[in-house]
Amino acid sequence: MKKPRLLIALASLVAVPALAQTIATADLGALQLDYVRVSASGGYTGSPLAARVSFRPGDALSLVSPHRIQRIHYLVNPGDTVAAGQPIAELSGPEIHHFITEYKVVGERYAVAKKRFESNRALYQRKAIDESRWIEISDAYYMLQLEYEHLDHFRERLIEDAQDPDRILFTAPAAGRLLYALDMPGIAEGGEIAVIVPEEALRLQVAVPTERGAGLAQLRGGQCELAVDGISAVAEGFYRRAWSAPLTADCQWLPGQQVMVTPWYQRAGYVIPRGALLHWQGDPAVLIRSGEQLQLVPVEVLSTTAEGYVVSCSAPLADREVLASSVSAVQGIMLGLGGD
């Protein structure tokens, strides 16, 4: 008894006709059919994104202290522009004086080691001393050279006050925006005194939805329009990090400032009126005029405009005519629901 029922059920499924993908305009009766010619689009604007004025890792100069500094008094405000050689902070405390003493002692030891190295090099070349002795002399010289140069990079940034030996100024090694933030008094050994960001390094950092990264070409905010300089190929959750080109004179933003920008995507698409879009079996589509018939064409909605949508399509739609009126009624007839 079960087998005939199964056959009947299968037969009924086969008998259901597939939904029509085209319809003749003659079958639409008195429906008003208005058409709009589809225009091609080279890009589109997306939903606003939150951006932050920042800099790429590696673009800024980090100023690190080789010794602990008990007290530091900054002479410029965070974010101010400084010139190379300009005093930016006053350092005080016994540690800074210990550093200057250490620098002098290491410098004297380095000078002795250098003299010894140069005099023994000639002896080694004449085989007057054995190789093990030469290696010992060379190792001592190069170790002191590295130690001295490490201290010298910091020492050359310091200016001592002849009138006040306790007052030592720290100067900027390069021009740019000075950024600093102290979580606790003083600077720990190996701690960062400040960061100098070159003016040409300031740019926008923005998190872009992973599916929207392709084609992102520009960020626009107010009078500022910046090309996108790079997009990370690594996802961070649901987003990818993108960077703009350096800020221009039109972008009067401060380091760390949060701004809303409008992304512009460079991607080929088509502009259609708002009333032309329909949903067919859950997916967006349009009805394209093809002679005396209307053909259902699936599309992907890329963005919205004031008058309609920007869509992409696997088939070329430029200069084709899309149905812009009575779309719901035509869809109903194609679904077998009858006309108006």
Side-chain angles (χ1 to χ4, degrees), residues 9 38 105 158 227:
V38 177
V105 171
L158 303 181

Side-chain angles (χ1 to χ4, degrees), residues 40-49 206 208 212-221 224-229 231 242 261-269 271 302-305 310:
S41 170
Y44 63 93
T45 57
S47 301
L49 299 172
V206 61
V208 186
R212 290 292 187 181
L216 180 62
Q218 196 176 65
L219 299 174
R220 301 171 178 175
C224 185
E225 295 187 359
L226 297 170
V228 172
D229 201 28
I231 305 175
V261 293
T262 300
W264 188 80
Y265 298 88
Q266 188 172 5
R267 181 177 173 184
V271 179
L302 300 177
S303 181
T304 60
T305 66
V310 179

Side-chain angles (χ1 to χ4, degrees), residues 3 30 37 51 114 117 141 157 184-185 196 251 259 327:
K3 189 172 181 181
R37 195 167 295 277
K114 183 178 182 181
F117 172 82
Y141 166 70
R157 304 265 59 85
M184 57 186 300
I196 293 182
C251 309
V259 297
V327 173

Side-chain angles (χ1 to χ4, degrees), residues 9-329:
L10 290 173
S12 64
L13 289 174
V14 173
V16 175
L19 294 176
Q21 301 294 307
T22 60
I23 188 170
T25 55
D27 295 336
L28 298 178
L31 288 179
Q32 180 178 347
L33 304 178
D34 297 321
Y35 302 94
V36 172
R37 195 167 295 277
V38 177
S39 60
S41 170
Y44 63 93
T45 57
S47 301
L49 299 172
R52 183 169 66 92
V53 180
S54 184
F55 52 91
R56 278 178 168 169
D59 284 351
L61 180 62
S62 176
L63 310 180
V64 177
S65 172
H67 278 258
R68 169 168 171 74
I69 299 173
Q70 190 176 56
R71 181 178 177 274
I72 180 169
H73 172 63
Y74 291 96
L75 305 177
V76 296
N77 294 319
D80 282 354
T81 301
V82 298
Q86 176 183 340
I88 58 176
E90 180 181 333
L91 312 180
S92 59
E95 294 86 355
I96 192 65
H97 295 285
H98 293 165
F99 165 79
I100 293 176
T101 301
E102 179 186 4
Y103 172 77
K104 292 178 181 178
V105 171
V106 172
E108 292 171 358
R109 292 174 59 201
Y110 172 60
V112 172
K114 183 178 182 181
K115 184 176 180 180
R116 183 187 181 197
F117 172 82
E118 291 174 347
S119 62
N120 280 274
R121 178 166 52 185
L123 295 175
Y124 175 70
Q125 291 171 346
R126 296 198 304 268
K127 307 297 183 181
I129 60 174
D130 59 32
E131 187 170 359
S132 60
R133 179 63 175 160
W134 171 243
I135 292 175
E136 178 186 342
I137 293 171
S138 299
D139 286 348
Y141 166 70
Y142 288 124
M143 287 182 64
L144 280 168
Q145 183 186 45
L146 290 174
E147 184 178 359
Y148 177 74
E149 289 179 351
H150 174 66
L151 297 175
D152 188 55
H153 288 316
F154 187 72
R155 179 64 182 89
E156 66 184 2
R157 304 265 59 85
L158 303 181
I159 299 177
E160 295 182 76
D161 191 335
Q163 305 300 323
D164 185 359
D166 290 331
R167 187 170 186 263
I168 299 176
L169 301 178
F170 183 75
T171 62
R177 297 284 190 109
L178 186 73
L179 305 180
Y180 61 87
L182 288 181
D183 297 329
M184 57 186 300
I187 304 291
E189 179 179 348
E192 192 172 69
I193 296 174
V195 171
I196 293 182
V197 184
E199 289 289 349
E200 64 274 13
L202 284 175
R203 59 185 75 222
L204 291 180
Q205 174 188 326
V206 61
V208 186
T210 52
E211 70 277 5
R212 290 292 187 181
L216 180 62
Q218 196 176 65
L219 299 174
R220 301 171 178 175
Q223 300 299 317
C224 185
E225 295 187 359
L226 297 170
V228 172
D229 201 28
I231 305 175
S232 173
V234 178
E236 300 177 17
F238 299 101
Y239 297 90
R240 295 167 62 183
R241 186 175 302 184
W243 298 93
S244 76
L247 300 188
T248 63
D250 294 330
C251 309
Q252 299 297 316
W253 294 320
L254 300 175
Q257 184 173 348
Q258 299 279 351
V259 297
M260 295 301 295
V261 293
T262 300
W264 188 80
Y265 298 88
Q266 188 172 5
R267 181 177 173 184
Y270 304 98
V271 179
I272 63 170
R274 187 171 299 274
L277 189 71
L278 59 91
H279 283 81
W280 188 262
Q281 296 181 332
D283 296 320
V286 293
L287 290 165
I288 297 297
R289 185 178 186 180
S290 179
E292 300 302 319
Q293 289 189 323
L294 293 177
Q295 180 182 0
L296 191 73
V297 178
V299 296
E300 176 190 355
V301 178
L302 300 177
S303 181
T304 60
T305 66
E307 295 80 20
Y309 302 96
V310 179
V311 301
S312 66
C313 183
S314 59
L317 298 183
D319 291 328
R320 300 287 300 276
E321 289 184 316
V322 62
L323 182 66
S325 65
S326 304
V327 173
S328 296

